[in-house]
Amino acid sequence: MTAPAFVINARLDPERLQPIFRRTRRLHLPDVFAPEQAISLYAAVRDRTPWRRSFLLGDRGVAMAPDELAAIPEDKREALERDLTKTARNGFQYAFDSWAVSDEVEAGRRIGHPAEAFYDFLNSPAFLGWVHRLTGDTRAVYCDAQCTRYGPGDYLNGHTDEAEGKNRLFAYVMNLTPDWNADWGGLLLFIDPDGHVAEGYTPAFNALNIFEVPQPHAVSMVPPFAGGSRLAITGWIRSGRDDPPEAAGTKAA
């Protein structure tokens, strides 16, 4: 049986929301899809996702399968964790589980996961046209996507999402965790020029966060007492795919 097509809630009128977005450069949009569709996508991300551990090693993003991580001797794993902590203390670092949906789909490795259908929806005329009307920017032609899972101790340090050659216009977070408590962390935080938190979004279930790139932001650490994992599908809405290497330069993504 084919899953029903994703349809954005008609109450989220992009023309009505556009002036707010253009003024604030970000929006938190609740109740994006029909509840049963959001619950189905959540269950698939929770139960069927082939997670990999993601972190930054030097200037290179790493995504390790569980068996690869388990094969590292304990002393080397502990040293790696110390290095990640040291990097995070004074610079950019992240640690969470992910699955690069768009990379897998574009490499011809579909596995029948509902997140693949969501990726197709993101790249449909219906969604891209909705983005054009919401943002007032008609350059959006492509969206990438990854499933993300933040458990206790996971985080994403402050950054702007700006990356030469990636053609990023906007970032999005499709939140898929029911009954999340703000005390459990995992908040999408926007940082003002003085280093203060200007605004924060709790990862409310079936809510879409969308914001303009570049913009300083972070995801706060999930504490040990959190009652679950923060699940989402995230990515960037772009004016094109990656530029060729000679045009993109050497700046790390």
Side-chain angles (χ1 to χ4, degrees):
M1 181 177 176
T2 303
F6 290 95
V7 178
I8 293 177
N9 189 333
R11 287 179 292 181
L12 299 174
D13 179 2
E15 281 82 7
R16 180 180 61 83
L17 292 168
Q18 186 190 117
I20 304 171
F21 182 84
R22 296 188 75 165
R23 184 177 71 253
T24 64
R25 302 175 62 217
R26 54 183 177 254
L27 284 173
H28 173 89
L29 303 173
D31 303 321
V32 177
F33 299 114
E36 61 274 15
Q37 196 160 49
I39 290 169
S40 177
L41 186 57
Y42 151 69
V45 172
R46 180 193 62 195
D47 299 334
R48 296 172 53 188
T49 303
W51 298 110
R52 301 175 74 90
R53 191 64 178 162
S54 296
F55 51 90
L56 198 63
L57 198 59
D59 61 356
R60 181 173 63 92
V62 173
M64 298 186 70
D67 57 343
E68 294 175 315
L69 201 56
I72 300 175
E74 184 176 357
D75 60 331
K76 287 185 167 46
R77 283 204 308 274
E78 291 175 352
L80 174 62
E81 289 296 332
R82 287 195 298 270
D83 287 345
L84 297 185
T85 299
K86 183 178 179 181
T87 304
R89 184 176 297 119
N90 299 305
F92 178 57
Q93 185 56 270
Y94 54 85
F96 56 86
D97 296 333
S98 69
W99 178 49
V101 180
S102 47
D103 288 354
E104 295 300 303
V105 168
E106 291 160 21
R109 296 190 292 263
R110 287 182 183 259
I111 60 173
H113 194 294
E116 297 163 346
F118 186 72
Y119 162 80
D120 294 336
F121 166 72
L122 293 174
N123 287 285
S124 69
F127 181 74
L128 292 171
W130 183 85
V131 169
H132 296 167
R133 298 193 301 277
L134 176 74
T135 64
D137 189 332
T138 60
R139 293 176 295 163
V141 297
Y142 168 68
C143 300
D144 57 28
Q146 65 171 337
C147 296
T148 62
R149 180 176 67 181
Y150 288 70
D154 290 350
Y155 60 90
L156 173 61
N157 274 6
H159 61 295
T160 67
D161 278 346
E162 188 171 28
E164 185 178 350
K166 295 294 185 180
N167 302 306
R168 295 170 179 170
L169 301 173
F170 313 101
Y172 72 89
V173 183
M174 182 62 217
N175 295 287
L176 294 172
T177 309
D179 303 318
W180 192 262
N181 187 319
D183 290 338
W184 298 350
L187 308 179
L188 176 58
L189 304 176
F190 294 95
I191 314 301
D192 72 14
D194 294 323
H196 300 298
V197 175
E199 190 170 20
Y201 297 156
T202 300
F205 181 66
N206 195 18
L208 178 70
N209 305 142
I210 182 168
F211 57 95
E212 187 178 320
V213 173
Q215 192 165 167
H217 64 284
V219 176
S220 64
M221 180 179 283
V222 176
F225 57 79
S229 296
R230 176 195 189 269
L231 300 173
I233 299 177
T234 72
W236 293 278
I237 301 165
R238 309 203 231 167
S239 60
R241 297 174 189 260
D242 293 359
D243 286 348
E246 62 273 16
T250 58
K251 184 176 180 181

Short mmCIF file of all heavy atoms in Angstrom, two decimals, residues 34 72 77 159:
data_model
loop_
_atom_site.label_atom_id
_atom_site.label_comp_id
_atom_site.label_asym_id
_atom_site.label_seq_id
_atom_site.Cartn_x
_atom_site.Cartn_y
_atom_site.Cartn_z
N ALA A 34 -0.91 16.14 8.86
CA ALA A 34 -1.97 15.44 9.57
C ALA A 34 -1.33 14.59 10.68
O ALA A 34 -0.27 13.99 10.47
CB ALA A 34 -2.75 14.55 8.60
N ILE A 72 36.68 -0.02 17.62
CA ILE A 72 37.77 0.81 18.12
C ILE A 72 38.10 0.36 19.54
O ILE A 72 37.20 0.26 20.39
CB ILE A 72 37.39 2.30 18.11
CG1 ILE A 72 37.05 2.76 16.69
CG2 ILE A 72 38.51 3.15 18.68
CD1 ILE A 72 36.53 4.19 16.61
N ARG A 77 38.80 4.81 22.04
CA ARG A 77 37.48 5.46 22.08
C ARG A 77 37.45 6.52 23.17
O ARG A 77 36.90 7.61 22.97
CB ARG A 77 36.36 4.43 22.33
CG ARG A 77 36.00 3.60 21.12
CD ARG A 77 34.58 3.05 21.21
NE ARG A 77 34.32 2.32 22.44
CZ ARG A 77 34.59 1.03 22.63
NH1 ARG A 77 35.15 0.33 21.66
NH2 ARG A 77 34.29 0.45 23.77
N HIS A 159 27.09 27.72 15.33
CA HIS A 159 27.60 27.86 13.98
C HIS A 159 26.58 28.65 13.17
O HIS A 159 25.51 28.99 13.68
CB HIS A 159 27.86 26.49 13.35
CG HIS A 159 26.62 25.65 13.23
ND1 HIS A 159 25.91 25.18 14.32
CD2 HIS A 159 25.94 25.22 12.13
CE1 HIS A 159 24.86 24.50 13.91
NE2 HIS A 159 24.85 24.52 12.58
#
